[in-house]
Amino acid sequence: MRLNPSRPNRYYRALTRNLVLFVVVVSLLPLLFTGAILLYQFEQAYQSKVEEHLEVLLKKHRRTIDAFLHDRLADIRVLTRSLTVAQMKDSSLLQTKLNLLREEYNGVFVDLGLVDPKGLQVAYAGPFNLIGANYAGAKWLERARADEYFISNVFAGFRGSPHFIVAAHKRLNGQDWLLKATIDFETFNALVENIRIGQTGFVFILDRKGELQTKPRQEVVLASGAWREILALPLKEGKVTIIEQADSLDRETIYAAASLKNSSWIICAQQERSDAFMHLLRAQQAALVIFVLGGVAIVLVSLLLARRLVRRIAEADSQKEAMNEKMIEAGRLASIGELAAGIAHEINNPVAIMVEEAGWIEDLMSDDGPLSEETLAEIQRAVQQIQEQGDRCKQITYKLLSFARKTDPTVKEVSINRLVEEVIGLVSQKSRYGGVKIITDLSAGLPPVAASPSELQQVLLNLVNNAVDAIESDGGTVEVITSQEQGDIHLTVTDTGIGIAESNLARIFDPFYTTKPVGQGTGLGLSICYGIINKLGGEIKVTSVKGKGSAFTVTLPADQNNNPASASAEQAEQS
Amino acid sequence: MVQINPSILLVDDEVPFVETMAKRLAKRDLTVDTAFGGREALKKLDSGGPSTIDVVILDVKMPGMDGLETLAAIKSAHPNVEVIMLTGHATVESAIEGMKGGAYDYLMKPCEMDLLMSKVNEAVDKKRAHEAKILDARVRMHALRRES
């Protein structure tokens, strides 16, 4: 505990800074952790939600498209089964059937045609004049002949516009006739093109070679990147594959694919990640905004509070300092009060002698007749005695006055030895009646101490007073020793009194702690000594054995200005 | 009964005070002995016997054996001797303690000579009356023995 009369602003600034840091860290860390954990969990949940959504969507549309293709095939198969080859060769009958189908299915079917075993289209109903068109050698025809039923990829063909063919066989006399129907690309395309996922997501269909089967709503890059990877993968029937990658424009994109049409086509979906995760991103942004605003608020509030708090502390500190000054003053008066009884007696004795001598002179002068030689001599002796006792009174009042004057905190050069002698003079009467012998062992030539004489005097008075009080009626010895050790001056007050119990040793410098009976001690003496010695940059120590006595040692730095030897020694230590 | 001068023992640690006070009391037809401490006073009482000293004037505050201890010793060894306590202002409480311990009265220091003299005379009278009673009782006891 070092009492520093004027704490530097640096101390309060550091205090403010520490308070702010502490509050900010303690309040922001949990916020940060909670936010991070919640966002992470939310992101995980959202990721699986997005993937699940894509999966469900793709599966659903895969089924829809498979069903669509299957139904169209079924339509043609019904025709091949219900009509004979001869009937089918009749273009007008085909036209009737086409009209029926177009009515029923909203123009999904564009045309119907019968291809003979040689690959010539022998009958045709539809908007183009394709009777006699020779498909021999066309790839789709070869494939169609190989399979029972056939749905072609999208291709341009004779008409030069994208379409695909649905075909079914009709066998007659071991010859293979083929009824083919062209499916309107636009209708089929609309099935897929109109599927929207969020703002940026869309769906399209590829064949296994990576040829587009529908028109994607946006340009897609198939030659490289994610789609190339997906095409290289063995896609399992009924399973959706999802990967995430940056697209050609460096936007994080989610790609999903599932096979359909007996694994010959792939239904594909792609969506920008920022779109799929829009809600997550919004939550993240909101969290960030809240965190930043909250953080700013916390910093501002803690700064404000810390400043206010530190200002209060500074005020309390200065009040405490003022209180300390007052306490020293009060303690001083209290120690004088404790001495008052002894001093009153000390003055009373010479006064009593003077009164008696005066009475004696009166007695002598009241005798009748002229004064004898002897009587005159006796009167003279009495007068001299009165003068002597008057002198004694004067000295006592002088001693007392030197203590009773107001505490002057001005620092001067103080000779410790002279101070000891003054204090012992003041306490001597009290100690004489207590049967206490005061011994001094003052080291000659001590350097002066830079201190307030009245404050240091008070420390000494308290220590010597306590030492005398510690000795009980059967008498004892108080020894005051001064000595010098390097730059320090030691002052030791030892008594052979009752000592201090070990349990009390730690508390004796506490204010208001006293073992004296109520009304006899304020409990301020030693705490004031402690404060004064600390202020002077010294220290006060105590050793005590219960029943044997105590020793108080005060160590004070000698006045540096008057002690060049110790000053240079200090400098040497510092460097 | 022969009236002899009252005999006083003056006890205080202040030598000039004791000396001057002794002179003043002697001038007032008292037989005065002096002591400068409790032990010395007790010694004088012991050697002289209770009959020689009637009243002890005793200062309360003395180094070594103080007034109260001395009073207790006097009262236990010589119960008939009367004691007047002298005290400074700060020790009135001790004077009251002394009264409880058997002192005849107390006076503040410095004291009026007239007041002191009247207290001394009262104390001497009391002591002598008391001694007379004791003497009386003894005479009666001897008479009873003779009759029987």
Side-chain angles (χ1 to χ4, degrees):
Chain A
M1 191 185 87
R2 197 183 160 93
L3 292 174
N4 204 335
S6 52
R7 281 185 162 147
N9 280 336
R10 198 153 36 87
Y11 169 83
Y12 292 112
R13 273 204 296 275
L15 192 63
T16 313
R17 194 186 56 227
N18 291 345
L19 271 173
V20 169
L21 269 179
F22 184 74
V23 171
V24 166
V25 167
V26 164
S27 22
L28 279 189
L29 271 189
L31 196 66
L32 197 67
F33 279 127
T34 318
I37 288 168
L38 285 181
L39 277 181
Y40 177 75
Q41 295 292 349
F42 187 41
E43 189 176 340
Q44 294 294 308
Y46 208 86
Q47 175 98 31
S48 58
K49 192 208 116 179
V50 164
E51 288 179 358
E52 211 169 284
H53 175 66
L54 271 177
E55 205 173 311
V56 167
L57 194 88
L58 279 192
K59 278 184 175 167
K60 186 183 120 198
H61 287 287
R62 185 180 63 93
R63 264 199 307 278
T64 312
I65 292 162
D66 268 342
F68 174 84
L69 295 173
H70 185 263
D71 287 355
R72 299 298 82 76
L73 192 60
D75 293 337
I76 302 304
R77 286 177 61 199
V78 167
L79 282 181
T80 56
R81 282 178 153 200
S82 58
L83 299 174
T84 63
V85 172
Q87 279 173 315
M88 284 192 284
K89 279 179 183 166
D90 182 0
S91 289
S92 61
L93 184 75
L94 283 184
Q95 187 67 51
T96 324
K97 295 291 177 192
L98 179 65
N99 289 344
L100 273 173
L101 285 171
R102 283 179 71 89
E103 265 171 44
E104 203 63 33
Y105 296 113
N106 271 332
V108 164
F109 289 95
V110 178
D111 56 16
L112 278 177
L114 183 68
V115 180
D116 72 4
K118 288 174 193 141
L120 276 177
Q121 184 157 267
V122 289
Y124 175 83
F128 307 101
N129 184 16
L130 290 174
I131 292 182
N134 189 359
Y135 293 110
K139 262 186 193 162
W140 68 266
L141 188 67
E142 281 169 26
R143 298 260 316 269
R145 288 213 198 284
D147 293 340
E148 189 68 23
Y149 316 110
F150 173 72
I151 301 167
S152 77
N153 284 348
V154 177
F155 67 107
F158 288 119
R159 63 196 79 177
S161 71
H163 64 279
F164 66 93
I165 290 167
V166 178
H169 300 277
K170 180 78 186 180
R171 294 185 199 283
L172 184 68
N173 305 327
Q175 284 189 310
D176 192 13
W177 297 80
L178 201 61
L179 183 65
K180 79 175 206 356
T182 305
I183 304 293
D184 179 31
F185 177 76
E186 290 302 325
T187 316
F188 175 70
N189 194 45
L191 271 181
V192 172
E193 196 183 21
N194 289 336
I195 301 170
R196 297 275 172 105
I197 311 169
Q199 297 285 317
T200 60
F202 58 91
V203 175
F204 57 92
I205 293 174
L206 291 178
D207 69 3
R208 289 298 307 184
K209 285 174 195 145
E211 296 287 330
L212 281 167
Q213 299 302 310
T214 60
K215 212 161 63 191
R217 207 147 53 78
Q218 276 176 28
E219 191 79 22
V220 288
V221 182
L222 299 170
S224 63
W227 289 124
R228 219 175 118 100
E229 264 177 53
I230 286 174
L231 283 169
L233 290 174
L235 295 172
K236 281 186 194 153
E237 190 72 25
K239 193 136 184 277
V240 179
T241 303
I242 294 174
I243 64 169
E244 274 185 41
Q245 252 185 29
D247 70 0
S248 53
L249 295 174
D250 235 10
R251 292 172 300 206
E252 276 296 321
T253 308
I254 304 170
Y255 301 93
S259 59
L260 65 111
K261 196 175 160 245
N262 292 325
S263 298
S264 59
W265 286 1
I266 302 168
I267 179 162
C268 303
Q270 83 173 59
Q271 187 183 12
E272 276 175 32
R273 195 172 188 282
S274 61
D275 178 35
F277 286 86
M278 189 176 64
H279 291 291
L280 177 71
L281 289 174
R282 268 192 206 154
Q284 279 172 339
Q285 278 165 1
L288 191 71
V289 167
I290 288 170
F291 182 77
V292 167
L293 288 181
V296 168
I298 286 170
V299 169
L300 283 180
V301 167
S302 63
L303 205 66
L304 209 71
L305 284 181
R307 280 215 180 133
R308 197 173 289 177
L309 199 67
V310 168
R311 203 166 53 231
R312 287 274 165 83
I313 291 172
E315 275 170 22
D317 281 349
S318 67
Q319 275 171 4
K320 201 177 102 192
E321 258 167 51
M323 286 283 278
N324 268 336
E325 300 276 314
K326 280 183 187 160
M327 201 166 89
I328 290 175
E329 188 67 34
R332 175 181 194 75
L333 292 175
S335 23
I336 289 167
E338 278 171 42
L339 279 179
I343 287 164
H345 195 88
E346 206 180 342
I347 290 182
N348 209 40
N349 274 329
V351 168
I353 294 168
M354 286 191 281
V355 169
E356 289 312 322
E357 294 290 357
W360 177 231
I361 292 170
E362 203 181 11
D363 287 351
L364 291 173
M365 292 190 11
S366 67
D367 286 348
D368 294 332
L371 298 174
S372 67
E373 197 78 2
E374 207 181 316
T375 313
L376 278 173
E378 184 62 28
I379 291 174
Q380 195 152 19
R381 186 205 59 78
V383 169
Q384 205 184 333
Q385 183 65 253
I386 290 174
Q387 275 174 347
E388 265 174 39
Q389 297 302 323
D391 252 11
R392 206 173 136 196
C393 286
K394 194 176 85 183
Q395 272 167 19
I396 297 164
T397 48
Y398 272 19
K399 273 195 274 179
L400 188 60
L401 277 175
S402 78
F403 274 88
R405 68 172 173 241
K406 195 172 158 34
T407 310
D408 177 10
T410 319
V411 172
K412 289 174 187 155
E413 283 176 13
V414 183
S415 157
I416 287 278
N417 287 348
R418 220 181 63 209
L419 218 58
V420 170
E421 273 155 14
E422 273 177 34
V423 167
I424 286 172
L426 197 69
V427 181
S428 61
Q429 187 71 9
K430 176 178 165 169
S431 63
R432 198 160 68 89
Y433 286 116
V436 178
K437 208 169 141 199
I438 299 184
I439 310 170
T440 54
D441 177 7
L442 307 180
S443 158
L446 284 185
V449 169
S452 147
S454 57
E455 285 183 358
L456 209 52
Q457 204 176 37
Q458 194 182 346
V459 172
L460 259 168
L461 178 62
N462 274 325
L463 292 181
V464 176
N465 229 350
N466 282 348
V468 171
D469 285 344
I471 291 166
E472 293 185 313
S473 51
D474 52 341
T477 313
V478 170
E479 194 172 11
V480 183
I481 304 166
T482 58
S483 63
Q484 188 182 7
E485 194 180 298
Q486 287 163 352
D488 292 337
I489 289 177
H490 297 285
L491 170 97
T492 309
V493 179
T494 316
D495 66 66
T496 57
I498 51 170
I500 304 163
E502 208 173 318
S503 54
N504 293 342
L505 264 182
R507 302 181 57 197
I508 58 166
F509 293 112
D510 292 352
F512 302 111
Y513 178 77
T514 180
T515 54
K516 290 182 182 175
V518 175
Q520 291 205 15
T522 55
L524 289 175
L526 282 177
S527 85
I528 289 167
C529 290
Y530 192 91
I532 291 172
I533 297 299
N534 252 320
K535 198 167 77 175
L536 295 176
E539 58 178 10
I540 181 165
K541 281 182 188 160
V542 61
T543 54
S544 183
V545 179
K546 181 87 180 155
K548 289 276 169 79
S550 314
F552 283 82
T553 304
V554 173
T555 306
L556 288 170
D559 193 350
Q560 301 296 323
N561 301 331
N562 282 287
N563 200 332
S566 73
S568 63
E570 281 245 329
Q571 276 169 6
E573 261 178 34
Q574 280 166 3
S575 65
Chain B
M1 202 182 273
V2 190
Q3 186 73 33
I4 52 162
N5 283 348
S7 178
I8 304 293
L9 178 61
L10 186 56
V11 188
D12 196 331
D13 61 309
E14 287 281 336
V15 179
F17 178 80
V18 171
E19 280 171 352
T20 309
M21 181 67 111
K23 284 179 203 161
R24 296 192 71 196
L25 292 174
K27 201 173 169 55
R28 284 165 177 76
D29 297 330
L30 298 176
T31 307
V32 183
D33 204 344
T34 58
F36 300 113
R39 277 175 221 293
E40 197 187 344
L42 280 171
K43 231 177 264 171
K44 289 208 163 168
L45 277 171
D46 288 342
S47 60
S51 54
T52 54
I53 287 167
D54 297 309
V55 175
V56 177
I57 298 174
L58 182 62
D59 188 24
V60 172
K61 200 155 189 181
M62 289 185 295
M65 194 176 186
D66 75 5
L68 287 178
E69 289 171 67
T70 313
L71 172 69
I74 292 172
K75 277 289 165 184
S76 75
H78 314 285
N80 286 346
V81 172
E82 293 297 340
V83 178
I84 294 171
M85 311 287 288
L86 274 188
T87 155
H89 285 275
T91 50
V92 175
E93 286 93 344
S94 347
I96 294 167
E97 280 299 305
M99 299 278 284
K100 285 185 195 163
Y104 177 74
D105 206 342
Y106 79 92
L107 283 170
M108 293 275 209
K109 222 166 129 184
C111 55
E112 290 275 324
M113 186 46 80
D114 293 345
L115 193 63
L116 178 64
M117 280 309 292
S118 66
K119 296 271 184 208
V120 168
N121 285 330
E122 282 169 28
V124 169
D125 288 349
K126 191 194 166 200
K127 195 215 171 204
R128 291 201 170 159
H130 195 66
E131 278 172 351
K133 268 190 220 164
I134 294 170
L135 209 62
D136 237 27
R138 257 189 210 144
V139 170
R140 238 177 277 149
M141 191 177 72
H142 284 296
L144 280 171
R145 276 194 192 150
R146 239 173 277 141
E147 275 167 29
S148 59

